[in-house]
Amino acid sequence: MFENTDNRTELSSLGEFGLIELLAKSVQLYNKEVIKGIGDDAAVLDLKTSETVITTDMLTEGIHFDLSYTPLRHLGYKAVAINISDLCAMNATPLAITVSFAISNRFSVEAVEELYAGMMLACERYKVDIVGGDTVSSAGGLTISITAIGQCKKEKIIYRHGAAEKDLICVTGDVGAAYLGLQLLKREKQIFLENPKIQPDLSGNDYCLERQLKPEARIDIIQKFGEVGIHPSSMIDISDGLASELFHLCKQSNVGCRVYEEKIPIDVKAAELAEELNLNPITCAFNGGEDYELLFTAPISQYELIKSVSDISIIGHITEPITGLYMVDRGNQEIQLRAQGWSAFDVHNN
């Protein structure tokens, strides 16, 4: 069902410890701070000069992903990348992760190896060590839980609550493409279910599909901050949609905002797919989610530094709280923002 092989090895043939031992053989360590990784009751890390930054994300089949169109290797990669993105949002350097999953007997050993292979690719990409985790049996489906550990000097950590009036509002990369990739996959799945003789047509949409199935954490931007001397006043990653993340920053900083429609970065391929799907690309950007770009604010004094980084767009500014949260459209009309992005407790998300 999940792998192209006639040789299926049942999970029960290895057992929990046998599976862990099998997967641990492929683990490579990249960081000198990891004193002990997989193989003992707990991992040991030596962080002498930095604060420890920790985040956890859980992905559940049927809620966060659909295996009818999500390759296991891509899923493994994404599970790691979205945790690294949370560390980036704190301006932290990723160091290590633990990987746990609950898995049913409908999966084979080969399927788990494929999932883990994607995780290992992400670990290699971000130079992150797998230092432990757990595996348990599930009555049905697959759940993945990853805890990521990073480090950052105390004075360099960036929180959500630091935005101040007149700060610039900035976003990395582009937004909306991941949501559009998901809508395309859902459309083609529905067409296939209605008529299995019709093969999915995904041609020409590689960019949006990759943004959905294999997102990248913006560790490159965090490195750029250090190189050019940018220190954001607040920051968050865009997992639930641009509007929702703006609400988080403004609420925790007790400020308002104005962002400008014409400044929102939308990739040309995303705009073309939005037209094909009869969707408004701006709506997708504000309410779609899963872009895993960085939304941050910074003092206006850092304008020239920010402009020197090619993949950052200035989309607006922070205002006093009484003015509220608004987008200014191309006709110079103010439209009140609403946080209508992805909700963890909405069963209709996937």
Side-chain angles (χ1 to χ4, degrees):
M1 185 176 184
F2 304 111
E3 63 277 344
N4 296 319
T5 177
D6 295 327
N7 299 318
R8 175 187 169 94
T9 307
E10 299 298 333
L11 291 173
S12 58
S13 69
L14 289 182
E16 177 186 358
F17 296 113
L19 180 62
I20 293 172
E21 184 178 348
L22 175 67
L23 297 176
K25 290 178 180 178
S26 62
V27 171
Q28 179 178 346
L29 298 181
Y30 300 98
N31 298 287
K32 66 181 185 304
E33 292 87 352
V34 176
I35 307 302
K36 181 64 177 179
I38 297 174
D40 223 303
D41 289 309
V44 179
L45 281 67
D46 182 8
L47 304 180
K48 291 187 175 73
T49 60
S50 300
E51 301 293 302
T52 304
V53 184
I54 303 172
T55 183
T56 297
D57 261 310
M58 184 178 291
L59 299 176
T60 300
E61 184 178 356
I63 301 296
H64 302 98
F65 59 88
D66 184 335
L67 288 175
S68 67
Y69 52 68
T70 306
L72 284 167
R73 186 170 294 219
H74 286 68
L75 177 61
Y77 191 100
K78 182 175 182 176
V80 174
I82 64 177
N83 278 271
I84 302 305
S85 182
D86 279 335
L87 293 179
C88 289
M90 303 292 291
N91 201 35
T93 300
L95 179 64
I97 63 171
T98 63
V99 177
S100 298
F101 47 85
I103 193 164
S104 73
N105 61 8
R106 97 176 197 265
F107 294 82
S108 67
V109 171
E110 288 78 16
V112 177
E113 287 183 307
E114 187 71 3
L115 177 70
Y116 216 71
M119 294 179 179
M120 293 303 300
L121 284 172
C123 286
E124 181 181 4
R125 163 71 176 84
Y126 299 112
K127 295 297 180 283
V128 173
D129 297 334
I130 297 180
V131 297
D134 194 16
T135 60
V136 297
S137 178
S138 166
L142 170 65
T143 296
I144 304 168
S145 178
I146 291 182
T147 296
I149 304 161
Q151 57 184 338
C152 187
K153 292 188 180 299
K154 185 175 182 178
E155 66 274 14
K156 297 289 186 180
I157 297 176
I158 300 168
Y159 299 94
R160 297 178 181 181
H161 62 244
E165 189 179 345
K166 297 184 180 179
D167 277 2
L168 302 171
I169 301 174
C170 309
V171 66
T172 65
D174 58 83
V175 286
Y179 176 78
L180 285 159
L182 178 61
Q183 299 315 301
L184 176 62
L185 289 167
K186 285 184 172 181
R187 184 191 72 177
E188 294 304 308
K189 176 185 176 180
Q190 188 59 40
I191 291 172
F192 178 77
L193 291 176
E194 292 172 359
N195 188 348
K197 294 182 179 179
I198 299 179
Q199 292 301 306
D201 181 12
L202 304 174
S203 59
N205 292 295
D206 291 355
Y207 180 72
C208 292
L209 292 171
E210 184 170 359
R211 294 282 283 175
Q212 168 57 217
L213 296 174
K214 188 177 172 288
E216 296 288 355
R218 296 310 305 263
I219 195 169
D220 58 321
I221 294 293
I222 299 305
Q223 293 166 346
K224 276 288 184 183
F225 285 168
E227 290 172 10
V228 304
I230 296 171
H231 189 75
S233 52
S234 68
M235 187 156 59
I236 191 171
D237 76 328
I238 304 175
S239 57
D240 300 332
L242 181 58
S244 288
E245 313 308 356
L246 281 166
F247 267 81
H248 286 310
L249 288 188
C250 290
K251 181 179 180 180
Q252 294 204 23
S253 300
N254 191 31
V255 294
C257 73
R258 291 295 182 278
V259 292
Y260 297 85
E261 179 182 3
E262 64 183 13
K263 301 293 186 182
I264 306 302
I266 297 175
D267 186 83
V268 62
K269 290 294 184 181
E272 291 171 357
L273 181 56
E275 183 176 1
E276 178 186 336
L277 297 174
N278 197 29
L279 295 170
N280 184 329
I282 286 292
T283 301
C284 296
F286 275 97
N287 299 326
E290 291 201 294
D291 293 300
Y292 298 104
E293 295 292 344
L294 296 173
L295 172 69
F296 68 93
T297 60
I300 197 167
S301 59
Q302 296 189 28
Y303 174 82
E304 293 298 335
L305 296 177
I306 292 168
K307 293 299 289 183
S308 72
V309 182
S310 61
D311 207 21
I312 296 177
S313 300
I314 299 173
I315 64 171
H317 61 275
I318 294 295
T319 61
E320 58 183 345
I322 196 172
T323 63
L325 284 70
Y326 286 86
M327 179 190 76
V328 181
D329 70 13
R330 296 177 189 276
N332 210 35
Q333 298 296 308
E334 291 192 343
I335 301 172
Q336 188 171 13
L337 291 177
R338 300 185 184 278
Q340 297 175 326
W342 196 91
S343 169
F345 298 100
D346 183 352
V347 296
H348 303 295
N349 280 311
N350 240 333

